[in-house]
C-alpha cells in the first residue's frame, strides 16, 4: 500500500489528520486508514468537510469508491460514516467491519 497523508487546518490551526492508501494495481480502491479530528474540534463539521475534499480529490483522479474499516464495539465511527453514505460490505478484514462509499461522478463546473 502507498500512503498519502493530509493535515487539516481550520482557522489556520491544525485540527485533523487523514491518511489514505492510494490506488495501485495491487489495491484497486482508495482505502482510508485514518481520519482523526482533535477532540476540541469535533462536532464542528471538520471531519465531514475533510471527507468532502478527499472525495472530490479522489473523484478527480478517477476513483469511484472509497473504503474504510473499524473494529466493532463502543466508540466506533460507524454513525459518522453511515450518515455520510458508506455502506457495509458484509466483509470483515482482520476483525474490522469493512464499509464502502460509492462516489458519484464530479459535477461539471459552471452549472
Amino acid at each position: 500500500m502507498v500512503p498519502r497523508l493530509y493535515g487539516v487546518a481550520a482557522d489556520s490551526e491544525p485540527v485533523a489528520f487523514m491518511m489514505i492508501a492510494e490506488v495501485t494495481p495491487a489495491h484497486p480502491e482508495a482505502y482510508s486508514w485514518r481520519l482523526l479530528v482533535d477532540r476540541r474540534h469535533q462536532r464542528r463539521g471538520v471531519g465531514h468537510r475533510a471527507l468532502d475534499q478527499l472525495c472530490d480529490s479522489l473523484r478527480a483522479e478517477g476513483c469511484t469508491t472509497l473504503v474504510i474499516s473499524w473494529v466493532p464495539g463502543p466508540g466506533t465511527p460507524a454513525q459518522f460514516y453511515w450518515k455520510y453514505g458508506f455502506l457495509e460490505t458484509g466483509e470483515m478484514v482482520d476483525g474490522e467491519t469493512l464499509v464502502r462509499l460509492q462516489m458519484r461522478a464530479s459535477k461539471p463546473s459552471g452549472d
Side-chain angles (χ1 to χ4, degrees):
M1 292 188 175
V2 179
R4 188 187 312 173
L5 312 172
Y6 297 92
V8 179
D11 302 323
S12 301
E13 180 181 353
V15 297
F17 167 79
M18 291 191 315
M19 183 168 63
I20 67 164
E22 293 185 357
V23 172
T24 65
H27 298 93
E29 293 180 285
Y31 177 84
S32 177
W33 265 326
R34 183 82 63 236
L35 170 55
L36 178 64
V37 178
D38 183 288
R39 67 177 174 78
R40 295 170 296 156
H41 297 280
Q42 293 178 3
R43 310 236 188 280
R44 292 180 44 203
V46 171
H48 193 277
R49 286 191 303 272
L51 198 51
D52 283 346
Q53 289 182 355
L54 174 63
C55 289
D56 288 346
S57 175
L58 291 170
R59 273 192 296 272
E61 295 171 15
C63 296
T64 58
T65 60
L66 175 63
V67 293
I68 190 167
S69 62
W70 60 77
V71 175
T76 71
Q79 292 299 323
F80 171 79
Y81 288 108
W82 289 334
K83 185 176 178 182
Y84 195 87
F86 284 79
L87 300 173
E88 287 194 43
T89 65
E91 299 173 62
M92 296 289 287
V93 177
D94 295 329
E96 297 187 5
T97 301
L98 188 72
V99 296
R100 177 176 288 112
L101 178 68
Q102 294 285 52
M103 296 186 289
R104 291 183 170 85
S106 297
K107 295 178 184 174
S109 60
D111 288 343

